[in-house]
Every structure is written in structure tokens, then in C-alpha cells.
Amino acid sequence: MRQNPSFTLASEEGVKRLIREHPWATIVSMTDAAGLVASHYPVLLDERAEGIALLTHVGRPDEQVHELGRHEVLVVVQGPHGYISPGWYDANPAVPTWNFITAHLHGTPELLEPDENLRVLDALVDHFEQRMPEPRGMRSTPENAAYAERIAAGTVGLRIPITRFVAKNKMSQNRPAETVDRIIAELEGDGPYASPALAAEMRRTHEALRAARA
């Protein structure tokens, strides 16, 4: 991913926030047998780890297709993104762009033992179920627990310690404040490219910039 100093996201905490809030990831491997392979899975942060480490699982036989544990993988996590019209700028000549926040994370997966895989699956389900009015844990009843233990055999748990990352937060940091305000207003509106989530991310970015300059 090409970097631009104006849009670089170098903060480890910023990347962790992105993962926590947008845990649907793309895992990419360059394999000996099949060349490039990509799969999509939810991920969690290992909150006990130093630095960044991801916990996830794959369905069999993806661990063989990706040749997991044999080489480094690329994990792509992406937050809100959207089209930015030049009509939202001013009367000067301009071209459209795309605002986004994303991170490319590199690491070699560690394959987990079955009991640890079950704990990761349990944590993944609890993480997403906690927002439900009546959360349903993977092992909340004896029947659920028995079923979960049976289907867990069809998955492989992973821990991916991240050794390096490249992240980008492109939120119109190169535009004057009045233009930024206009873009946010359009994103919060009801037009064809409205995106409240992207507007909120832009607000967060520019509030942090203003605080850093104060």
C-alpha cells in the first residue's frame, strides 16, 4: 500500500481500535501449491499480548489451502470508506477521491490445539453475541456445548502475532477546515454517497488533529 505522510496511521493503538471496531478481515497467503489464496474470517485482538496479535479460526481445509504456519500471511482490515465528490469542495478545478481507513498486517500464524481453538471460538461468539438482547453463547447450554464441540473439529484455531503493519487513514487531512465540514455534512445527509460511519470517522480524525495542534 503506497503511503503518504499526510495519511499515515502509525499508531499501534489506532490500528487496534480499527480491528476492534471492524473485525471482518481478509487473510491472504502466497502459497507454493496454489499461488495467491484469500479467505475472509472474523478476528479478535489477543488483548493479553504485547503488540498486536490476532485470534481467529479457519474452516477445514483452509489451513491446508493457505499452508498456514509455513509462511507469513497478510491480513487486511478495513473500516468505513466512501466516494468523495469534487462538488463537495469549492469552485476550483478538482477530481473525486475515496476516503478510507485500512491496515495491512503481516505475521506467521500459529495453529492452536483443539482445546485452545474451542476457547477462541467461544470468545468470538461471545464477542458478537454480547450486543444481542438475549446473548446465546456457544456453550450456554449442555446441548449447545455438545454441538459446538462436534463442529469445532471442522475448524482450526489461529493466533497471528503481527510483526509489522502498514496502515492508512485518509480522511481529507489535506483539505481546509471549511471543506472538511462540507464533506462531513454531505456524508451525514441523504445523498447517494451518504455514509454516517465515514462522517464519524472523519470527525474523529480531524478532532484529533485539532487537539494535537492546540
Side-chain angles (χ1 to χ4, degrees):
M1 178 166 56
R2 184 178 64 84
Q3 276 292 19
N4 179 316
S6 298
F7 307 134
T8 298
L9 176 58
S11 160
E12 185 176 285
E13 284 306 312
V15 172
K16 285 183 175 181
R17 179 187 70 81
L18 176 65
I19 296 166
R20 289 187 188 106
E21 295 182 4
H22 304 280
W24 182 245
T26 301
I27 301 173
V28 183
S29 301
M30 174 56 80
T31 66
D32 294 333
L36 279 173
V37 176
S39 294
H40 310 272
Y41 287 96
V43 298
L44 293 179
L45 278 172
D46 183 348
E47 300 287 0
R48 299 171 298 177
E50 291 187 13
I52 300 173
L54 305 178
L55 297 171
T56 187
H57 74 289
V58 298
R60 297 182 188 275
D62 271 8
E63 86 285 6
Q64 297 176 27
V65 174
H66 279 266
E67 300 171 359
L68 294 176
R70 290 171 49 184
H71 51 68
E72 187 178 70
V73 299
L74 166 66
V75 182
V76 180
V77 180
Q78 182 164 279
H81 61 92
Y83 179 78
I84 306 300
S85 169
W88 300 349
Y89 294 163
D90 48 37
N92 294 323
V95 295
T97 190
W98 205 275
N99 279 1
F100 62 90
I101 178 170
T102 191
H104 293 183
L105 307 120
H106 302 260
T108 301
E110 302 167 355
L111 277 64
L112 304 180
E113 294 297 325
D115 59 339
E116 196 170 359
N117 175 37
L118 195 57
R119 285 196 292 273
V120 168
L121 291 172
D122 220 2
L124 278 162
V125 172
D126 286 347
H127 176 77
F128 294 105
E129 279 291 313
Q130 65 184 343
R131 299 184 182 184
M132 300 297 291
E134 296 182 12
R136 181 168 173 172
M138 194 174 74
R139 292 188 283 179
S140 55
T141 68
E143 293 80 10
N144 278 357
Y147 178 71
E149 288 173 11
R150 288 199 304 275
I151 65 167
T155 69
V156 176
L158 304 176
R159 183 178 184 275
I160 311 176
I162 301 305
T163 55
R164 58 193 172 92
F165 68 82
V166 177
K168 196 168 183 178
N169 181 33
K170 182 179 177 295
M171 295 288 159
S172 301
Q173 294 96 317
N174 58 337
R175 295 289 172 180
E178 60 271 18
T179 301
V180 170
D181 291 342
R182 194 155 53 245
I183 293 170
I184 290 173
E186 292 287 352
L187 292 171
E188 290 177 334
D190 57 2
Y193 296 109
S195 174
L198 182 56
E201 196 67 48
M202 284 190 65
R203 284 191 185 281
R204 186 200 303 265
T205 296
H206 286 274
E207 285 170 2
L209 284 174
R210 285 194 289 268
R213 292 169 185 151

